[in-house]
Amino acid sequence: MSMHPMVPKPGRDAPPPVPGKPPAPGTPSAGRRQGHKRLLILAVALVLVIIGTVTLAVVRSEPPSGAVVPTQPAVPASPVAAAPPSLQDSVDNILGEADQYRIGLALADVSGGAERTFGDADTFTAASTAKILTAAAYYHLVENGQASLDDPMGDYDAAFQLKAMVNDSSNDSWLLLMDAVGYPQLIAYAASIGVTYDPEQNMLTAADMALILKKLYAGELLDKDNTEQLLSYMQDTNNEDLIPAGSRSGVDVYHKYGEVGGELHDAALLSYRGSTFALVIYTENPEGVPDDGQAEVIRDLTRAVEDALFPVGLTAK
C-alpha cells in the first residue's frame, strides 16, 4: 500500500509559526519541504529496488564463466541407412570373381542423394524391367483423364493387362499397353522424368532404372493409390529367384525381373524399417544365353548390399 506523508491541518494541529522573517511569497513551508523530501526518498528507494531486481535476474540467466550454454536440439531427420565405403570393396570382389559377365549395378536411396553405380555403366537391353516404365506411363494417362483402367484392351481391360504385364511379365500385355500409350508419348514421358528411352530399342542403364524406381516409390510419378497398386504387382511375381531370393527375411522387396538373349536382370526396391533403396542389377552373358552363374551373382550382390545397408541380425530367406 502506498504511503503518503501526513500534512498537518491548519488550526489547532498546526505548529506555531517560527519567529523571524516571514517567508517570501511562493517559498514552501517547512512542512511541505519535509513532505517533498520523504517522497524523494521513497522514489529513490523504489528505483533502487527495481534496478536490483533486474540485475539479479540478468545474473541468474547468465551461465558461470566457462560453462557450456545448452542449445536447442535439431529436429532429427528420418532414419535412413547409409552405405559404408566398404560396400565398394565387397561389390568389386564379387564382380572380379564374375568377370565372365558384363554387370552393371546401381543403388539409389529413395529419400534423396545421387545414385551410386558399380561395374558397367553403359546401357543394356532392359528386357522386361522396362515394363515398369510402360506401366507408369499408362497410369499417368489415367491420372490426366486421357485413359481409364476400365478401357477395353485385348480380351480384357487395361487394369487386367497392367497386372498381367508386371506380375506375370506378359509380353502380349506389354505390347497392348505400349500401343495404348503410343511410342512418341512413351519417349516423351521417359524424358520428363530424366530418362532417355526408345521403346523400339529398349535400352537402359542400371542407373536409369534405379531412377525410375526411386521416383515411383517416392510418389513423384503417380498418385498414392496408383503407386500402391503398381507396387503390389511387384511382389510375389512369376520369378522370385533373383533379388528376392538373395534378400534377407524382414526386408520388403518390390521388383521386376527381365530376361532376353544372354541378359538376366532384376530391378528392385528394398525397404526395411523406414529406409528404402532402389537396387538394379543388370547382367549379360557374352555367350548369348543366361546361365545359373548370373542368377547366383545377382543374389550375391543383393546380400552384399543388404549387409552394408541394413543392420546385422536378419536371417536369409
Side-chain angles (χ1 to χ4, degrees):
M1 181 170 59
S2 301
M3 299 294 295
H4 298 278
M6 295 298 295
V7 181
K9 296 179 181 179
R12 289 186 306 175
D13 296 331
V18 179
K21 185 179 179 179
T27 301
S29 65
R32 291 180 63 188
R33 287 197 300 270
Q34 184 177 8
H36 290 168
K37 183 177 181 181
R38 289 177 182 174
L39 284 173
L40 179 60
I41 292 173
L42 285 174
V44 171
L46 180 60
V47 170
L48 290 176
V49 169
I50 293 173
I51 292 173
T53 302
V54 172
T55 302
L56 181 60
V58 170
V59 170
R60 287 181 176 177
S61 67
E62 293 180 349
S65 177
V68 177
V69 180
T71 57
Q72 287 295 105
V75 177
S78 299
V80 177
S86 60
L87 176 61
Q88 183 74 55
D89 293 336
S90 299
V91 171
D92 285 346
N93 289 336
I94 295 171
L95 296 182
E97 293 175 359
D99 59 359
Q100 69 270 36
Y101 308 121
R102 188 167 76 98
I103 302 173
L105 184 153
L107 182 67
D109 183 345
V110 301
S111 69
E115 293 76 24
R116 292 184 62 180
T117 57
F118 306 82
D120 198 318
D122 290 337
T123 58
F124 290 73
T125 301
S128 291
T129 62
K131 290 173 179 176
I132 300 301
L133 180 59
T134 300
Y138 189 83
Y139 277 116
H140 181 69
L141 293 179
V142 171
E143 292 180 6
N144 287 341
Q146 298 172 268
S148 169
L149 295 177
D150 297 325
D151 286 347
M153 194 172 291
D155 294 334
Y156 303 95
D157 58 16
F160 176 93
Q161 301 297 358
L162 281 164
K163 182 176 181 181
M165 177 182 69
V166 176
N167 194 252
D168 298 326
S169 205
S170 168
N171 288 331
D172 291 338
S173 299
W174 190 13
L175 290 172
L176 288 169
L177 285 158
M178 281 198 293
D179 285 342
V181 173
Y183 280 27
Q185 289 78 9
L186 187 53
I187 292 170
Y189 177 75
S192 74
I193 61 176
V195 174
T196 300
Y197 179 71
D198 181 347
E200 293 185 347
Q201 300 297 321
N202 194 28
M203 304 290 288
L204 290 172
T205 66
D208 288 335
M209 193 65 222
L211 179 62
I212 294 167
L213 292 177
K214 172 182 173 178
K215 287 179 174 286
L216 171 65
Y217 193 88
E220 296 178 24
L221 302 185
L222 307 172
D223 67 25
K224 183 175 183 293
D225 290 341
N226 289 328
T227 298
E228 290 179 353
Q229 187 173 75
L230 180 51
L231 289 174
S232 74
Y233 296 158
M234 296 168 65
Q235 290 187 305
D236 300 320
T237 70
N238 65 313
N239 187 336
E240 298 289 290
D241 293 333
L242 301 174
I243 288 178
S247 181
R248 297 174 171 192
S249 178
V251 177
D252 291 327
V253 180
Y254 311 87
H255 79 114
K256 184 72 196 78
Y257 94 104
E259 180 180 346
V260 62
E263 307 203 34
L264 183 66
H265 313 318
D266 210 355
L269 288 156
L270 307 175
S271 185
Y272 178 72
R273 292 188 177 180
S275 297
T276 301
F277 289 81
L279 171 63
V280 178
I281 306 171
Y282 281 174
T283 72
E284 180 184 8
N285 184 355
E287 296 184 0
V289 290
D291 62 27
D292 292 340
Q294 287 167 268
E296 187 58 37
V297 78
I298 289 174
R299 292 190 288 267
D300 288 344
L301 287 168
T302 301
R303 295 184 191 103
V305 167
E306 288 191 358
D307 285 346
L309 296 180
F310 304 133
V312 178
L314 299 176
T315 56
K317 292 180 180 176

mmCIF file of all heavy atoms in Angstrom, residues 231-267:
data_model
loop_
_atom_site.group_PDB
_atom_site.id
_atom_site.type_symbol
_atom_site.label_atom_id
_atom_site.label_comp_id
_atom_site.label_asym_id
_atom_site.label_seq_id
_atom_site.Cartn_x
_atom_site.Cartn_y
_atom_site.Cartn_z
ATOM 1 N N LEU A 231 3.053 -51.077 -57.042
ATOM 2 C CA LEU A 231 3.996 -51.758 -56.153
ATOM 3 C C LEU A 231 3.476 -53.128 -55.734
ATOM 4 O O LEU A 231 4.252 -54.085 -55.596
ATOM 5 C CB LEU A 231 4.278 -50.905 -54.917
ATOM 6 C CG LEU A 231 5.110 -49.642 -55.132
ATOM 7 C CD1 LEU A 231 5.185 -48.825 -53.852
ATOM 8 C CD2 LEU A 231 6.514 -49.986 -55.619
ATOM 9 N N SER A 232 2.169 -53.237 -55.537
ATOM 10 C CA SER A 232 1.606 -54.538 -55.146
ATOM 11 C C SER A 232 1.799 -55.580 -56.234
ATOM 12 O O SER A 232 1.969 -56.771 -55.945
ATOM 13 C CB SER A 232 0.120 -54.401 -54.798
ATOM 14 O OG SER A 232 -0.673 -54.228 -55.969
ATOM 15 N N TYR A 233 1.793 -55.158 -57.507
ATOM 16 C CA TYR A 233 2.032 -56.086 -58.610
ATOM 17 C C TYR A 233 3.491 -56.537 -58.657
ATOM 18 O O TYR A 233 3.808 -57.534 -59.327
ATOM 19 C CB TYR A 233 1.668 -55.432 -59.946
ATOM 20 C CG TYR A 233 0.213 -55.074 -60.117
ATOM 21 C CD1 TYR A 233 -0.180 -54.105 -61.040
ATOM 22 C CD2 TYR A 233 -0.781 -55.685 -59.344
ATOM 23 C CE1 TYR A 233 -1.515 -53.765 -61.206
ATOM 24 C CE2 TYR A 233 -2.113 -55.341 -59.496
ATOM 25 C CZ TYR A 233 -2.475 -54.381 -60.421
ATOM 26 O OH TYR A 233 -3.804 -54.036 -60.578
ATOM 27 N N MET A 234 4.366 -55.809 -57.957
ATOM 28 C CA MET A 234 5.793 -56.128 -57.973
ATOM 29 C C MET A 234 6.196 -57.050 -56.824
ATOM 30 O O MET A 234 7.383 -57.191 -56.516
ATOM 31 C CB MET A 234 6.598 -54.826 -57.930
ATOM 32 C CG MET A 234 6.385 -53.937 -59.147
ATOM 33 S SD MET A 234 7.045 -52.247 -58.973
ATOM 34 C CE MET A 234 8.804 -52.576 -58.864
ATOM 35 N N GLN A 235 5.242 -57.671 -56.195
ATOM 36 C CA GLN A 235 5.510 -58.672 -55.153
ATOM 37 C C GLN A 235 4.878 -59.998 -55.555
ATOM 38 O O GLN A 235 3.848 -60.029 -56.237
ATOM 39 C CB GLN A 235 4.962 -58.210 -53.799
ATOM 40 C CG GLN A 235 5.735 -57.036 -53.202
ATOM 41 C CD GLN A 235 5.284 -56.714 -51.794
ATOM 42 O OE1 GLN A 235 4.106 -56.485 -51.545
ATOM 43 N NE2 GLN A 235 6.230 -56.692 -50.864
ATOM 44 N N ASP A 236 5.502 -61.100 -55.109
ATOM 45 C CA ASP A 236 5.004 -62.447 -55.434
ATOM 46 C C ASP A 236 4.794 -62.584 -56.942
ATOM 47 O O ASP A 236 3.718 -62.965 -57.408
ATOM 48 C CB ASP A 236 3.699 -62.739 -54.676
ATOM 49 C CG ASP A 236 3.886 -62.659 -53.169
ATOM 50 O OD1 ASP A 236 4.925 -63.117 -52.682
ATOM 51 O OD2 ASP A 236 2.996 -62.115 -52.492
ATOM 52 N N THR A 237 5.844 -62.268 -57.683
ATOM 53 C CA THR A 237 5.759 -62.307 -59.137
ATOM 54 C C THR A 237 6.028 -63.716 -59.665
ATOM 55 O O THR A 237 6.233 -64.657 -58.888
ATOM 56 C CB THR A 237 6.782 -61.340 -59.756
ATOM 57 O OG1 THR A 237 8.102 -61.857 -59.539
ATOM 58 C CG2 THR A 237 6.678 -59.956 -59.133
ATOM 59 N N ASN A 238 6.074 -63.834 -60.987
ATOM 60 C CA ASN A 238 6.306 -65.145 -61.594
ATOM 61 C C ASN A 238 7.765 -65.594 -61.501
ATOM 62 O O ASN A 238 8.090 -66.724 -61.860
ATOM 63 C CB ASN A 238 5.874 -65.135 -63.067
ATOM 64 C CG ASN A 238 6.722 -64.204 -63.911
ATOM 65 O OD1 ASN A 238 6.961 -63.057 -63.514
ATOM 66 N ND2 ASN A 238 7.155 -64.658 -65.080
ATOM 67 N N ASN A 239 8.657 -64.716 -61.015
ATOM 68 C CA ASN A 239 10.056 -65.104 -60.834
ATOM 69 C C ASN A 239 10.598 -64.436 -59.573
ATOM 70 O O ASN A 239 10.863 -63.234 -59.572
ATOM 71 C CB ASN A 239 10.897 -64.705 -62.049
ATOM 72 C CG ASN A 239 12.318 -65.244 -61.968
ATOM 73 O OD1 ASN A 239 12.837 -65.532 -60.903
ATOM 74 N ND2 ASN A 239 12.962 -65.390 -63.125
ATOM 75 N N GLU A 240 10.771 -65.223 -58.528
ATOM 76 C CA GLU A 240 11.278 -64.721 -57.249
ATOM 77 C C GLU A 240 12.669 -65.282 -56.944
ATOM 78 O O GLU A 240 13.089 -65.316 -55.786
ATOM 79 C CB GLU A 240 10.312 -65.092 -56.116
ATOM 80 C CG GLU A 240 8.924 -64.485 -56.252
ATOM 81 C CD GLU A 240 8.919 -62.991 -56.002
ATOM 82 O OE1 GLU A 240 9.115 -62.564 -54.856
ATOM 83 O OE2 GLU A 240 8.727 -62.233 -56.988
ATOM 84 N N ASP A 241 13.391 -65.720 -57.982
ATOM 85 C CA ASP A 241 14.668 -66.423 -57.780
ATOM 86 C C ASP A 241 15.893 -65.524 -57.834
ATOM 87 O O ASP A 241 17.016 -66.023 -57.662
ATOM 88 C CB ASP A 241 14.833 -67.521 -58.841
ATOM 89 C CG ASP A 241 13.818 -68.633 -58.683
ATOM 90 O OD1 ASP A 241 13.357 -68.851 -57.540
ATOM 91 O OD2 ASP A 241 13.486 -69.276 -59.692
ATOM 92 N N LEU A 242 15.721 -64.220 -58.035
ATOM 93 C CA LEU A 242 16.876 -63.343 -58.190
ATOM 94 C C LEU A 242 17.040 -62.474 -56.936
ATOM 95 O O LEU A 242 17.450 -62.985 -55.901
ATOM 96 C CB LEU A 242 16.721 -62.531 -59.473
ATOM 97 C CG LEU A 242 16.595 -63.402 -60.743
ATOM 98 C CD1 LEU A 242 16.308 -62.544 -61.968
ATOM 99 C CD2 LEU A 242 17.832 -64.265 -60.942
ATOM 100 N N ILE A 243 16.748 -61.184 -56.990
ATOM 101 C CA ILE A 243 16.922 -60.345 -55.804
ATOM 102 C C ILE A 243 16.094 -60.837 -54.613
ATOM 103 O O ILE A 243 16.612 -60.904 -53.486
ATOM 104 C CB ILE A 243 16.628 -58.864 -56.131
ATOM 105 C CG1 ILE A 243 17.766 -58.285 -56.988
ATOM 106 C CG2 ILE A 243 16.461 -58.036 -54.852
ATOM 107 C CD1 ILE A 243 17.573 -56.841 -57.416
ATOM 108 N N PRO A 244 14.834 -61.221 -54.790
ATOM 109 C CA PRO A 244 14.085 -61.705 -53.621
ATOM 110 C C PRO A 244 14.731 -62.913 -52.952
ATOM 111 O O PRO A 244 14.701 -63.040 -51.722
ATOM 112 C CB PRO A 244 12.712 -62.060 -54.207
ATOM 113 C CG PRO A 244 12.580 -61.181 -55.401
ATOM 114 C CD PRO A 244 13.966 -61.108 -55.982
ATOM 115 N N ALA A 245 15.327 -63.797 -53.733
ATOM 116 C CA ALA A 245 15.957 -64.988 -53.155
ATOM 117 C C ALA A 245 17.240 -64.637 -52.410
ATOM 118 O O ALA A 245 17.637 -65.352 -51.476
ATOM 119 C CB ALA A 245 16.247 -66.009 -54.251
ATOM 120 N N GLY A 246 17.908 -63.559 -52.799
ATOM 121 C CA GLY A 246 19.117 -63.139 -52.096
ATOM 122 C C GLY A 246 18.853 -62.203 -50.940
ATOM 123 O O GLY A 246 19.737 -61.945 -50.129
ATOM 124 N N SER A 247 17.626 -61.703 -50.832
ATOM 125 C CA SER A 247 17.283 -60.744 -49.792
ATOM 126 C C SER A 247 17.028 -61.454 -48.462
ATOM 127 O O SER A 247 16.693 -62.639 -48.406
ATOM 128 C CB SER A 247 16.025 -59.968 -50.205
ATOM 129 O OG SER A 247 15.675 -59.013 -49.235
ATOM 130 N N ARG A 248 17.194 -60.712 -47.399
ATOM 131 C CA ARG A 248 17.009 -61.262 -46.054
ATOM 132 C C ARG A 248 15.554 -61.199 -45.608
ATOM 133 O O ARG A 248 14.797 -60.353 -46.059
ATOM 134 C CB ARG A 248 17.862 -60.471 -45.056
ATOM 135 C CG ARG A 248 19.341 -60.553 -45.289
ATOM 136 C CD ARG A 248 20.058 -59.622 -44.336
ATOM 137 N NE ARG A 248 21.489 -59.810 -44.381
ATOM 138 C CZ ARG A 248 22.328 -59.290 -43.477
ATOM 139 N NH1 ARG A 248 21.856 -58.544 -42.506
ATOM 140 N NH2 ARG A 248 23.617 -59.511 -43.570
ATOM 141 N N SER A 249 15.222 -62.048 -44.678
ATOM 142 C CA SER A 249 13.887 -62.023 -44.080
ATOM 143 C C SER A 249 13.704 -60.700 -43.334
ATOM 144 O O SER A 249 14.611 -60.232 -42.643
ATOM 145 C CB SER A 249 13.733 -63.195 -43.108
ATOM 146 O OG SER A 249 12.478 -63.167 -42.489
ATOM 147 N N GLY A 250 12.555 -60.099 -43.499
ATOM 148 C CA GLY A 250 12.286 -58.813 -42.853
ATOM 149 C C GLY A 250 12.412 -57.637 -43.780
ATOM 150 O O GLY A 250 11.968 -56.538 -43.450
ATOM 151 N N VAL A 251 13.022 -57.836 -44.934
ATOM 152 C CA VAL A 251 13.140 -56.772 -45.936
ATOM 153 C C VAL A 251 12.010 -56.939 -46.949
ATOM 154 O O VAL A 251 11.839 -58.014 -47.524
ATOM 155 C CB VAL A 251 14.505 -56.832 -46.659
ATOM 156 C CG1 VAL A 251 14.569 -55.762 -47.748
ATOM 157 C CG2 VAL A 251 15.647 -56.656 -45.669
ATOM 158 N N ASP A 252 11.237 -55.888 -47.157
ATOM 159 C CA ASP A 252 10.180 -55.927 -48.175
ATOM 160 C C ASP A 252 10.806 -55.673 -49.545
ATOM 161 O O ASP A 252 11.569 -54.722 -49.718
ATOM 162 C CB ASP A 252 9.118 -54.856 -47.890
ATOM 163 C CG ASP A 252 8.306 -55.166 -46.641
ATOM 164 O OD1 ASP A 252 8.078 -56.347 -46.361
ATOM 165 O OD2 ASP A 252 7.917 -54.206 -45.938
ATOM 166 N N VAL A 253 10.477 -56.536 -50.497
ATOM 167 C CA VAL A 253 11.056 -56.432 -51.837
ATOM 168 C C VAL A 253 9.949 -56.225 -52.860
ATOM 169 O O VAL A 253 8.974 -56.991 -52.900
ATOM 170 C CB VAL A 253 11.854 -57.703 -52.200
ATOM 171 C CG1 VAL A 253 12.446 -57.571 -53.609
ATOM 172 C CG2 VAL A 253 12.953 -57.961 -51.177
ATOM 173 N N TYR A 254 10.085 -55.189 -53.671
ATOM 174 C CA TYR A 254 9.212 -54.930 -54.817
ATOM 175 C C TYR A 254 10.135 -54.962 -56.036
ATOM 176 O O TYR A 254 11.118 -54.212 -56.063
ATOM 177 C CB TYR A 254 8.539 -53.561 -54.703
ATOM 178 C CG TYR A 254 7.882 -53.280 -53.374
ATOM 179 C CD1 TYR A 254 8.614 -52.739 -52.315
ATOM 180 C CD2 TYR A 254 6.527 -53.555 -53.172
ATOM 181 C CE1 TYR A 254 8.017 -52.477 -51.090
ATOM 182 C CE2 TYR A 254 5.922 -53.295 -51.949
ATOM 183 C CZ TYR A 254 6.680 -52.759 -50.916
ATOM 184 O OH TYR A 254 6.080 -52.506 -49.709
ATOM 185 N N HIS A 255 9.831 -55.780 -57.032
ATOM 186 C CA HIS A 255 10.821 -55.913 -58.101
ATOM 187 C C HIS A 255 10.189 -56.300 -59.432
ATOM 188 O O HIS A 255 9.023 -56.695 -59.521
ATOM 189 C CB HIS A 255 11.862 -56.977 -57.709
ATOM 190 C CG HIS A 255 11.371 -58.377 -57.908
ATOM 191 N ND1 HIS A 255 11.918 -59.237 -58.849
ATOM 192 C CD2 HIS A 255 10.363 -59.073 -57.319
ATOM 193 C CE1 HIS A 255 11.277 -60.395 -58.823
ATOM 194 N NE2 HIS A 255 10.347 -60.318 -57.906
ATOM 195 N N LYS A 256 11.010 -56.180 -60.476
ATOM 196 C CA LYS A 256 10.652 -56.654 -61.815
ATOM 197 C C LYS A 256 11.909 -57.232 -62.452
ATOM 198 O O LYS A 256 12.893 -56.525 -62.629
ATOM 199 C CB LYS A 256 10.101 -55.513 -62.671
ATOM 200 C CG LYS A 256 9.632 -55.985 -64.047
ATOM 201 C CD LYS A 256 8.362 -56.782 -63.928
ATOM 202 C CE LYS A 256 8.068 -57.600 -65.171
ATOM 203 N NZ LYS A 256 8.884 -58.838 -65.241
ATOM 204 N N TYR A 257 11.847 -58.521 -62.779
ATOM 205 C CA TYR A 257 12.996 -59.153 -63.423
ATOM 206 C C TYR A 257 12.846 -59.040 -64.933
ATOM 207 O O TYR A 257 11.779 -58.723 -65.468
ATOM 208 C CB TYR A 257 13.106 -60.626 -63.003
ATOM 209 C CG TYR A 257 12.439 -61.592 -63.949
ATOM 210 C CD1 TYR A 257 13.206 -62.368 -64.831
ATOM 211 C CD2 TYR A 257 11.045 -61.720 -64.000
ATOM 212 C CE1 TYR A 257 12.601 -63.244 -65.726
ATOM 213 C CE2 TYR A 257 10.439 -62.592 -64.879
ATOM 214 C CZ TYR A 257 11.219 -63.341 -65.749
ATOM 215 O OH TYR A 257 10.618 -64.197 -66.635
ATOM 216 N N GLY A 258 13.952 -59.280 -65.632
ATOM 217 C CA GLY A 258 13.924 -59.267 -67.090
ATOM 218 C C GLY A 258 14.916 -60.273 -67.642
ATOM 219 O O GLY A 258 15.974 -60.502 -67.061
ATOM 220 N N GLU A 259 14.569 -60.869 -68.774
ATOM 221 C CA GLU A 259 15.448 -61.871 -69.397
ATOM 222 C C GLU A 259 15.246 -61.843 -70.905
ATOM 223 O O GLU A 259 14.119 -61.921 -71.397
ATOM 224 C CB GLU A 259 15.128 -63.263 -68.857
ATOM 225 C CG GLU A 259 15.980 -64.367 -69.448
ATOM 226 C CD GLU A 259 15.622 -65.739 -68.882
ATOM 227 O OE1 GLU A 259 14.900 -65.795 -67.855
ATOM 228 O OE2 GLU A 259 16.053 -66.742 -69.467
ATOM 229 N N VAL A 260 16.348 -61.695 -71.632
ATOM 230 C CA VAL A 260 16.299 -61.741 -73.082
ATOM 231 C C VAL A 260 17.699 -62.067 -73.596
ATOM 232 O O VAL A 260 18.690 -61.500 -73.125
ATOM 233 C CB VAL A 260 15.791 -60.415 -73.688
ATOM 234 C CG1 VAL A 260 16.707 -59.261 -73.345
ATOM 235 C CG2 VAL A 260 15.623 -60.541 -75.195
ATOM 236 N N GLY A 261 17.793 -62.993 -74.543
ATOM 237 C CA GLY A 261 19.095 -63.395 -75.054
ATOM 238 C C GLY A 261 19.989 -63.855 -73.913
ATOM 239 O O GLY A 261 19.619 -64.696 -73.098
ATOM 240 N N GLY A 262 21.179 -63.256 -73.814
ATOM 241 C CA GLY A 262 22.091 -63.610 -72.722
ATOM 242 C C GLY A 262 21.980 -62.678 -71.531
ATOM 243 O O GLY A 262 22.834 -62.708 -70.637
ATOM 244 N N GLU A 263 20.955 -61.850 -71.494
ATOM 245 C CA GLU A 263 20.818 -60.873 -70.419
ATOM 246 C C GLU A 263 19.802 -61.325 -69.376
ATOM 247 O O GLU A 263 18.710 -61.786 -69.707
ATOM 248 C CB GLU A 263 20.424 -59.506 -71.006
ATOM 249 C CG GLU A 263 21.385 -59.083 -72.120
ATOM 250 C CD GLU A 263 21.424 -57.600 -72.353
ATOM 251 O OE1 GLU A 263 21.279 -56.830 -71.396
ATOM 252 O OE2 GLU A 263 21.616 -57.204 -73.512
ATOM 253 N N LEU A 264 20.202 -61.182 -68.118
ATOM 254 C CA LEU A 264 19.347 -61.527 -66.991
ATOM 255 C C LEU A 264 19.448 -60.389 -65.988
ATOM 256 O O LEU A 264 20.540 -60.057 -65.518
ATOM 257 C CB LEU A 264 19.789 -62.841 -66.351
ATOM 258 C CG LEU A 264 18.918 -63.353 -65.196
ATOM 259 C CD1 LEU A 264 17.514 -63.730 -65.706
ATOM 260 C CD2 LEU A 264 19.573 -64.565 -64.524
ATOM 261 N N HIS A 265 18.311 -59.785 -65.664
ATOM 262 C CA HIS A 265 18.306 -58.586 -64.824
ATOM 263 C C HIS A 265 17.273 -58.715 -63.702
ATOM 264 O O HIS A 265 16.317 -59.484 -63.792
ATOM 265 C CB HIS A 265 17.916 -57.332 -65.628
ATOM 266 C CG HIS A 265 18.618 -57.188 -66.938
ATOM 267 N ND1 HIS A 265 19.950 -57.450 -67.115
ATOM 268 C CD2 HIS A 265 18.145 -56.766 -68.153
ATOM 269 C CE1 HIS A 265 20.294 -57.204 -68.359
ATOM 270 N NE2 HIS A 265 19.206 -56.797 -69.017
ATOM 271 N N ASP A 266 17.472 -57.888 -62.680
ATOM 272 C CA ASP A 266 16.421 -57.667 -61.687
ATOM 273 C C ASP A 266 16.536 -56.234 -61.189
ATOM 274 O O ASP A 266 17.644 -55.720 -60.975
ATOM 275 C CB ASP A 266 16.520 -58.648 -60.519
ATOM 276 C CG ASP A 266 15.154 -58.957 -59.894
ATOM 277 O OD1 ASP A 266 14.161 -58.329 -60.307
ATOM 278 O OD2 ASP A 266 15.082 -59.826 -59.007
ATOM 279 N N ALA A 267 15.385 -55.596 -61.042
ATOM 280 C CA ALA A 267 15.309 -54.206 -60.585
ATOM 281 C C ALA A 267 14.345 -54.169 -59.415
ATOM 282 O O ALA A 267 13.181 -54.530 -59.563
ATOM 283 C CB ALA A 267 14.825 -53.302 -61.719
#
